[in-house]
Amino acid sequence: MNILQEKEFFMKQFSIFLKGTLILTIAGLLSRFLGFFYKIFLAQALGAEGMGIYQLIFPVFSVCHALTTSGMETAISRFTAFARREEKDSWLYAGLFMSLLASTAAGLILWSQSAFIAEKLLHEARCESLLRILAAAVPLSAIHSCFAGAWIGRKQTGIPAAAQLLEQILRIGTVWLLCSIHIQQGRPITPALAVFGLLAGEAGSALFMLTLTGGSRTVLIHPAKYLDKCRSLLRMALPLTGNRLSLTILQSAEAVLIPLSLQKSGLTSAEALSMYGILTGMALSFLMFPNAVTASISAMLLPVISEEQAKGNTRGISTAIEYTIQFGLTIGILCMGIFLHFGGSLGTILFHEKLAGEFLVTLSWICPVLYLTGNLNSILHGLGKTSVTFFNQLASILVRILFIVWFVPPYGIQGVLWGLLASQLLLCLLGIRAVAPCVNPAMGLDILILKPLTALFLSIGGIDLFKRLFPALRFGLEVLDLIVSICMVAAAYFIILILFGTWKFLRLSLKKGSK
């Protein structure tokens, strides 16, 4: 391959990566945007205690997903990425068969043991009915995830993006309809309605995936070859599943420990559940909203890094890692400034909870590392270093649990916040240390940190000054003024970065990659 052909190939692959990332980002942002207002509606409908009860079931759902699907989804994506065209579908169906068997069994166990799980593990008997509804969603989630992994492995992200949006729309629409019916009939609104919405979203997205991909051409191969593919998928999926299951169980223990530890700090059971609901259902939903952008890059990075590693293209891997770190820090520093400056207003105006705003301001410091760690983990998975990510995440979760056990009883909810800050910083540092040997640095701290911080100070200060100089531009509506101010800060931030020339690295990398 001559220099011109190599440059054309590099540009084509980069174009595919950007296109896939853009599609997933747009879908993710729309989904998060809808989910954002859905959380506001849900918080007002259920109340803080109801949100706490609803949030308690998600660790159980996460355990089922980790046990039956998460490792297989990654394995399908990786094998599909470098499989021959005629064999791509066979990898999907082999993985789907195994995942459906496991998820159906998990759903049946969850249904039959819902009372035990609610009372003995979650310490909240009111979760029993929610777990029974949730059991039906486990196999549906497996179908959705396996198909999404296959399409992302092909770098064709349109269908997973559409399924993601459909799931959110069906979830919100179902809950809104059920709440309207209950209000008309004078019946109470319970967390069960939200779980029915989750079930409807999973069912719709699974049916959508099956309908759109049912007509794909599949070459018939000998059953023995399918068994070979099953074994290959299991060899990669089982370690991933074991890792993620271990982490998810610890995360579930963390979720259960928070309300229990809060009660030891002097709160009643209802107050502890309310505090937990405000933190997880309100403050963290704000914090994770920008993650739609970085999560899209994470999804596309795995097959890209896998392909580059298979080709032995260390230069391409280094460029991808550096640009990913730059992008994650750029978004993270912007969000840190926005949540520090506007966090109190966001919690008070949108959720009518002053405490949610206080949590958001405290947690804003983790934004630069929070949005970076997901991408670093995807890079390590693409490089086949799944054990490294497991031990990194294990260390991070253990730090959070230690903070909950040691600091929450004497210091209350602040102990949880301190644990989140410390664990995310540790996870990010360990991730950077793990990918460092694969990087030939081309950027300095000025591009990664100093210029974004300068742009942040100038944009926030400039917009505040502009609003003081032109008070007539205020809309008089707090929500609208807040949204416009945040958008103006974000726009000014990126304009200043462009003027600083921080994105020249991308053009230089493309030229470097073609030499």
Side-chain angles (χ1 to χ4, degrees), residues 109-437:
I109 293 171
L110 181 58
W111 172 276
S112 62
Q113 300 299 317
S114 57
F116 172 80
I117 295 171
E119 294 176 11
K120 303 299 182 182
L121 300 182
L122 300 182
H123 300 278
E124 181 53 65
R126 287 174 288 182
C127 287
E128 179 182 352
S129 60
L130 310 187
L131 293 175
R132 287 181 176 272
I133 304 168
L134 191 67
V138 176
L140 297 170
S141 175
I143 296 173
H144 178 187
S145 297
C146 288
F147 276 102
W151 284 108
I152 290 174
R154 295 168 182 256
K155 300 191 189 72
Q156 297 176 10
T157 53
I159 291 177
Q164 181 184 4
L165 274 177
L166 178 65
E167 178 187 348
Q168 189 71 285
I169 291 169
L170 286 174
R171 179 186 298 191
I172 295 171
T174 300
V175 175
W176 179 82
L177 180 62
L178 290 174
C179 286
S180 300
I181 293 172
H182 276 237
I183 290 172
Q184 288 179 356
Q185 295 178 350
R187 297 162 62 187
I189 297 174
T190 66
L193 304 185
V195 189
F196 274 119
L198 187 151
L199 176 60
E202 292 291 353
S205 61
L207 183 61
F208 175 78
M209 286 284 197
L210 287 169
T211 302
L212 284 192
T213 58
S216 62
R217 294 181 298 174
T218 305
V219 178
L220 294 177
I221 62 175
H222 195 275
K225 290 191 176 181
Y226 267 112
L227 290 176
D228 289 338
K229 292 185 184 302
C230 288
R231 282 193 287 267
S232 297
L233 286 167
L234 283 174
R235 276 195 293 269
M236 180 178 183
L238 285 178
L240 281 174
T241 298
N243 293 350
R244 292 182 182 178
L245 182 60
S246 302
L247 296 174
T248 305
I249 289 173
L250 286 173
Q251 289 169 341
S252 302
E254 175 193 4
V256 174
L257 281 171
I258 291 174
L260 294 177
S261 296
L262 286 172
Q263 290 180 47
K264 292 180 180 179
S265 71
L267 300 180
T268 65
S269 176
E271 289 171 339
L273 280 173
S274 298
M275 191 82 71
Y276 179 71
I278 293 170
L279 174 63
T280 58
M282 300 180 193
L284 288 180
S285 64
F286 268 118
L287 206 67
M288 298 306 295
F289 182 81
N291 199 45
V293 179
T294 53
S296 303
I297 293 180
S298 295
M300 291 300 297
L301 273 173
L302 192 147
V304 168
I305 295 294
S306 297
E307 284 187 5
E308 296 303 318
Q309 187 184 37
K311 298 170 190 171
N313 186 4
T314 56
R315 186 170 52 195
I317 292 173
S318 176
T319 300
I321 292 173
E322 278 208 280
Y323 190 63
T324 299
I325 291 174
Q326 184 199 16
F327 185 81
L329 286 174
T330 300
I331 297 294
I333 289 171
L334 169 63
C335 293
M336 178 186 71
I338 288 175
F339 292 140
L340 269 174
H341 193 65
F342 299 106
S345 300
L346 285 168
T348 304
I349 294 173
L350 296 180
F351 280 114
H352 306 291
E353 279 286 353
K354 182 181 178 182
L355 200 56
E358 293 175 1
F359 291 166
L360 196 58
V361 171
T362 301
L363 293 174
S364 62
W365 296 104
I366 69 173
C367 287
V369 294
L370 178 65
Y371 306 140
L372 184 58
T373 50
N375 292 344
L376 292 174
N377 288 338
S378 286
I379 290 168
L380 291 170
H381 284 161
L383 293 170
K385 298 182 179 181
T386 53
S387 60
V388 175
T389 60
F390 167 68
F391 286 111
N392 290 353
Q393 291 175 317
L394 180 63
S396 174
I397 293 173
L398 289 175
V399 166
R400 293 205 301 270
I401 290 176
L402 289 175
F403 268 81
I404 292 168
V405 173
W406 289 346
F407 293 99
V408 172
Y411 297 105
I413 194 66
Q414 288 298 324
V416 179
L417 305 183
W418 296 338
L420 285 169
L421 291 169
S423 65
Q424 284 298 322
L425 179 60
L426 175 64
L427 183 59
C428 184
L429 292 175
L430 291 174
I432 292 174
R433 179 175 175 269
V435 301

Side-chain angles (χ1 to χ4, degrees), residues 478-499:
E478 282 187 317
V479 176
L480 189 57
D481 281 335
L482 183 61
I483 293 173
V484 170
S485 297
I486 292 173
C487 291
M488 290 173 68
V489 168
Y493 175 78
F494 285 110
I495 290 171
I496 293 170
L497 283 180
I498 291 171
L499 294 175

